Amino acid sequence: MSLKEGTFFGVKEGMADSLIKNQVSEQWCLVRKDLRNEFGESAFSSWLAPMAIGGLASGRVKMFVPTRFMKEWILKNYSARIQSIWQEHNPEIKEVCFEVKASCSVDVGGGVKDSYGSETGLFEEERTDRLPVIASNHSLVTVSGVGEISAPLDLRYTFSNFVVGKSNEFAYAAAMRVAESKDILFNPLYLYSGVGLGKTHLMHAIAWHIKEKDPTRTVLYLSAEKFMYKFVQALRNKDTIHFKEQFRSVDVLMIDDVQFISGKDATQEEFFHTFNALIDEGKQIILSADKSPTELDGMENRLKTRLGSGLVADIHPTTYELRLGILQSKISGLGVEVPQEVIEFLASHINTNVRELEGALKRLLAHAELIGRQITLESTKEILKDLLCFCDRKVTIDEIQTKVAEYFKVRVADLRSERRERSIARPRQIAMYLAKKLTVRSLPDIGRKFDRDHTTVMHAVKKVEELMQTDSGISEDVVLLTRILSS
Ligand code: ADP
Ligand code: MG
């Protein structure tokens, strides 16, 4: 038990204590919800669901994680977001720290299980039932036949719920082809796009379609993160043979977000062998990533070549027409009424990705339902104020260079110069990072503005992302600059 009596917030045990605990539990529920939305179901269930609240004192939240590996992974990839999401729900929180506590360890195999009961926001020491419970989200279903390793599929992610437009018609057609055909036409099918544009949706749709046509075929769908997690577990348990068998006994293997495999040597090696063996045995492989195979950072060349050797299909950013279509389809699916002018307004102003579009619509509907008021253009603008001002504002690379130079008190010419000292190089990397995050310009385009090539920009983006995890000064600089540039 981590919370010693009377030390929780320095408040004596009793009503006040349990009230605050309840509040923190409620906040944790909200944080979990946001994390799940932001990182997707598979990353959430592999890495984030197993966390439990250890306590909160003097603005410091303690989270328990079951293994050291998990702690390191969370620190590297998620801690900054966990902290800022907590702060959104409770501005008094200054820090989130992570501690390994083996007793909160359970199997994270089946993603439908919310093994921690933390859906209710319970504190670790309050849990009475250590057995996995079924999550309340009934839209997730585990595919049978591949044991506990397959991640659940979302019932809503079907071909019939996928709205097709110019930006995704090729990827849709390719996915449909693979799902329809029993023969292997292209192997692997490699889908890629920016976030929230429908890759996971299409993969689930393929799986549903195959299962519906022929329930005897085994489809294994999992995130690359879970693949890695399982692999590391197998290594630790000296059970890699069983691990490989699980993959080799399937008809169709789908791995979502393979960019996460980059850089991990042993896992890459294993992935490469499993991948080759499956292809040789005539099994269909479907992969998704946020980049094309050649752009995958930290991936061995032979693997890049292999990944791109089937059919590569990308999903482009949405068009206005597609956004309109998606909104209309979601609205009619929900059986609600939204004025046409509001739908058009959303389609033209929320132009980042489909996930944001869905989020905006959900928020609007929830608001209307809660206060029982009709949705109007006025109320829409009010409710979505924060989303809209960000999307409305088109930032240019020149503006980014000017503001970054001002902020770090260097000259714009320095950012474009050859100078390598840290006081110039760091602002330059941050400016490149912001150009990638805040504009739609390509890496070569950004590179040209700094008299550099695209690999330098790619390196800068990665570097800043890494620094933001470890150096709170840098992440503050980035947050502040983003705010300055977006206002
Ligand atoms: P990605 O995997 O590319 O990050 P997702 O597949 O998770 O994106 O999509 C994000 C959300 O947007 C999901 O809820 C998905 O159903 C929805 N979505 C994306 N594209 C479409 C589309 N063309 N039609 C309907 N819904 C879509
Ligand atoms: Mg996805």
Side-chain angles (χ1 to χ4, degrees):
M1 166 142 164
S2 69
L3 305 172
K4 292 188 199 85
E5 271 190 1
T7 59
F8 187 69
F9 285 104
V11 178
K12 278 193 181 154
E13 287 288 321
M15 287 271 287
D17 186 31
S18 67
L19 192 72
I20 296 167
K21 273 191 184 180
N22 280 344
Q23 280 174 0
V24 179
S25 289
E26 273 167 28
Q27 285 163 10
W28 175 229
C29 275
L30 297 173
V31 175
R32 282 169 56 91
K33 219 185 207 164
D34 290 353
L35 288 169
R36 181 182 253 143
N37 282 340
E38 183 165 329
F39 293 106
E41 191 55 43
S42 43
F44 178 83
S45 57
S46 302
W47 304 101
L48 304 167
M51 289 187 290
I53 313 176
L56 191 153
S58 320
R60 190 161 181 263
V61 181
K62 179 152 74 182
M63 301 300 304
F64 287 136
V65 290
T67 64
R68 202 161 56 87
F69 174 72
M70 217 150 183
K71 177 180 162 183
E72 279 161 19
W73 187 260
I74 290 171
L75 277 175
K76 185 157 172 277
N77 296 287
Y78 301 109
S79 59
R81 277 307 288 153
I82 294 174
Q83 181 159 327
S84 48
I85 294 175
W86 260 110
Q87 282 162 341
E88 278 167 28
H89 293 289
N90 181 352
E92 278 163 25
I93 283 172
K94 294 188 194 70
E95 194 192 348
V96 180
C97 63
F98 300 87
E99 192 177 290
V100 179
K101 187 167 186 206
S103 69
C104 77
S105 166
V106 288
D107 175 36
V108 295
V112 256
K113 298 166 190 164
D114 184 345
S115 321
Y116 294 86
S118 356
E119 210 67 72
T120 54
L122 289 183
F123 278 75
E124 226 282 314
E125 85 272 25
E126 284 173 342
R127 290 181 185 145
T128 49
D129 181 1
R130 297 242 162 248
L131 292 172
V133 294
I134 302 297
S136 57
N137 191 346
H138 294 300
S139 60
L140 295 173
V141 175
T142 306
V143 190
S144 58
V146 280
E148 93 302 9
I149 200 161
S150 192
L153 295 176
D154 195 311
L155 276 171
R156 297 162 305 178
Y157 292 177
T158 58
F159 281 123
S160 57
N161 284 341
F162 192 82
V163 183
V164 187
K166 273 223 151 348
S167 57
N168 59 21
E169 61 186 4
F170 182 62
Y172 172 83
M176 198 57 168
R177 248 316 180 58
V178 167
E180 276 285 324
S181 171
K182 247 197 139 169
D183 303 323
I184 308 280
L185 300 172
F186 1 82
N187 214 3
L189 168 63
Y190 183 104
L191 301 169
Y192 79 94
S193 76
V195 295
L197 293 177
K199 299 180 295 293
T200 299
H201 188 136
L202 278 180
M203 290 179 107
H204 287 209
I206 297 173
W208 284 126
H209 197 88
I210 292 175
K211 294 300 286 179
E212 199 179 287
K213 276 185 58 157
D214 181 357
T216 62
R217 289 183 83 193
T218 48
V219 181
L220 174 52
Y221 164 85
L222 80 170
S223 68
E225 288 192 305
K226 190 174 250 170
F227 176 87
M228 278 176 44
Y229 181 81
K230 285 278 165 193
F231 178 61
V232 172
Q233 246 186 354
L235 273 183
R236 204 181 294 143
N237 301 335
K238 302 193 175 33
D239 192 17
T240 47
I241 294 176
H242 173 62
F243 173 80
K244 283 178 201 165
E245 281 312 307
Q246 282 180 305
F247 289 97
R248 291 178 183 175
S249 61
V250 302
D251 295 310
V252 183
L253 171 66
M254 301 190 183
I255 300 188
D256 209 348
D257 290 320
V258 289
Q259 72 273 8
F260 284 116
I261 289 181
S262 317
K264 306 270 175 281
D265 289 348
T267 351
Q268 258 194 53
E269 188 73 24
E270 185 52 40
F271 180 62
F272 187 68
H273 290 307
T274 307
F275 184 89
N276 284 337
L278 285 170
I279 297 236
D280 291 346
E281 286 164 29
K283 308 287 172 71
Q284 177 72 56
I285 297 184
I286 301 159
L287 307 166
S288 88
D290 65 353
K291 304 180 185 72
S292 73
T294 49
E295 283 173 323
L296 282 175
D297 218 12
M299 183 83 81
E300 285 178 42
N301 280 337
R302 59 174 184 162
L303 192 49
K304 284 186 189 175
T305 313
R306 203 74 165 97
L307 296 184
S309 62
L311 181 71
V312 177
D314 60 341
I315 305 177
H316 297 276
T318 53
T319 57
Y320 172 74
E321 286 71 28
L322 180 63
R323 292 195 293 275
L324 210 55
I326 290 173
L327 283 169
Q328 266 149 356
S329 140
K330 307 258 168 206
I331 289 165
S332 70
L334 291 167
V336 289
E337 287 209 7
V338 179
Q340 186 61 21
E341 61 171 358
V342 170
I343 301 179
E344 286 168 14
F345 178 81
L346 291 178
S348 60
H349 286 79
I350 314 269
N351 51 15
T352 40
N353 64 52
V354 185
R355 193 172 294 142
E356 295 242 317
L357 196 63
E358 280 183 349
L361 179 65
K362 265 190 218 151
R363 200 198 296 178
L364 212 57
L365 295 175
H367 211 87
E369 194 184 301
L370 282 175
I371 56 171
R373 214 174 63 191
Q374 280 246 308
I375 298 171
T376 63
L377 199 51
E378 276 317 296
S379 67
T380 302
K381 285 181 186 167
E382 179 56 34
I383 295 162
L384 303 177
K385 211 162 46 194
D386 55 326
L387 283 179
L388 295 171
C389 71
F390 189 77
C391 303
D392 252 357
R393 178 102 168 77
K394 292 261 184 297
V395 188
T396 65
I397 300 177
D398 288 337
E399 252 176 282
I400 293 174
Q401 290 184 334
T402 311
K403 295 286 180 203
V404 170
E406 253 172 42
Y407 183 90
F408 287 106
K409 302 195 173 42
V410 297
R411 295 175 311 147
V412 170
D414 289 331
L415 298 180
R416 297 179 183 163
S417 73
E418 289 295 320
R419 293 179 58 184
R420 284 158 177 259
E421 55 274 51
R422 163 98 40 111
S423 59
I424 305 286
R426 197 65 91 222
R428 182 186 297 129
Q429 286 176 326
I430 291 179
M432 288 177 175
Y433 169 85
L434 290 168
K436 183 76 195 104
K437 295 287 156 180
L438 302 179
T439 74
V440 289
R441 307 289 293 274
S442 66
L443 292 174
D445 272 356
I446 298 170
R448 269 190 290 281
K449 286 280 188 183
F450 290 85
D451 289 329
R452 300 286 198 288
D453 69 10
H454 73 282
T455 53
T456 311
V457 184
M458 209 152 80
H459 171 75
V461 172
K462 206 169 148 220
K463 181 81 198 167
V464 174
E465 273 168 357
E466 275 167 23
L467 286 171
M468 282 170 67
Q469 305 286 330
T470 52
D471 183 335
S472 58
I474 299 250
S475 66
E476 263 166 38
D477 292 338
V478 171
V479 169
L480 263 173
L481 278 162
T482 307
R483 212 173 281 156
I484 293 170
L485 286 158
S486 316
S487 59

